[in-house]
Amino acid sequence: ALERFSADMWSFGTLHCDYLTDDTIPYEERLGATGYDAVLVFRNIQRYTGDPSWRRCVDAAFEVYGNRYVLPNNGAIPAYFNFTAGFLDEFLSTSSLRARELLLLIARNGAFSADA
């Protein structure tokens, strides 16, 4: 089962990473592919495999979801599209100021996150 898991992780992870990095695919479709916290998923794959090449996938998910969706909306995103675990993991592991900024924007301005 572990062998199958690893094979699926590589094949599906690569498929989704290639999708996120393909600029011929409309942005909205790539944004939809970041659901369920693609930043965290790719960070976990990188951690599990020990392969630094997965960083390009982390960066792609970060760009599509964080830099091009959360940031322009000042964190005011709907609750069903609030994925912060990847940003938190990124901040705790790398001290990324951008990850911290995105976390704080969502905490302050996201649906059901801010004080009423």
Side-chain angles (χ1 to χ4, degrees):
L2 184 57
E3 197 171 289
R4 172 73 188 265
F5 167 79
S6 293
D8 285 350
M9 178 184 56
W10 278 94
S11 63
F12 290 115
T14 300
L15 179 75
H16 287 284
C17 181
D18 290 345
Y19 189 85
L20 287 179
T21 58
D22 185 346
D23 289 335
T24 66
I25 297 171
Y27 168 74
E28 292 77 17
E29 291 180 29
R30 289 184 290 140
L31 178 62
T34 63
Y36 303 105
D37 209 338
V39 172
L40 182 63
V41 169
F42 288 122
R43 285 190 54 77
N44 284 338
I45 292 173
Q46 181 181 14
R47 188 177 295 113
Y48 179 83
T49 64
D51 184 342
S53 70
W54 286 98
R55 184 66 210 188
R56 81 176 182 93
C57 307
V58 173
D59 292 342
F62 205 97
E63 176 64 23
V64 170
Y65 177 68
N67 294 340
R68 292 189 60 194
Y69 180 66
V70 174
L71 192 60
N73 287 293
N74 200 35
I77 59 173
Y80 65 84
F81 214 59
N82 180 332
F83 307 116
T84 55
F87 296 149
L88 179 61
D89 189 53
E90 178 81 3
F91 174 68
L92 293 175
S93 299
T94 69
S95 300
S96 165
L97 295 179
R98 177 52 58 98
R100 180 182 181 273
E101 176 185 14
L102 294 168
L103 280 167
L104 290 174
L105 284 174
I106 294 171
R108 292 177 179 142
N109 302 321
F112 303 107
S113 297
D115 291 336

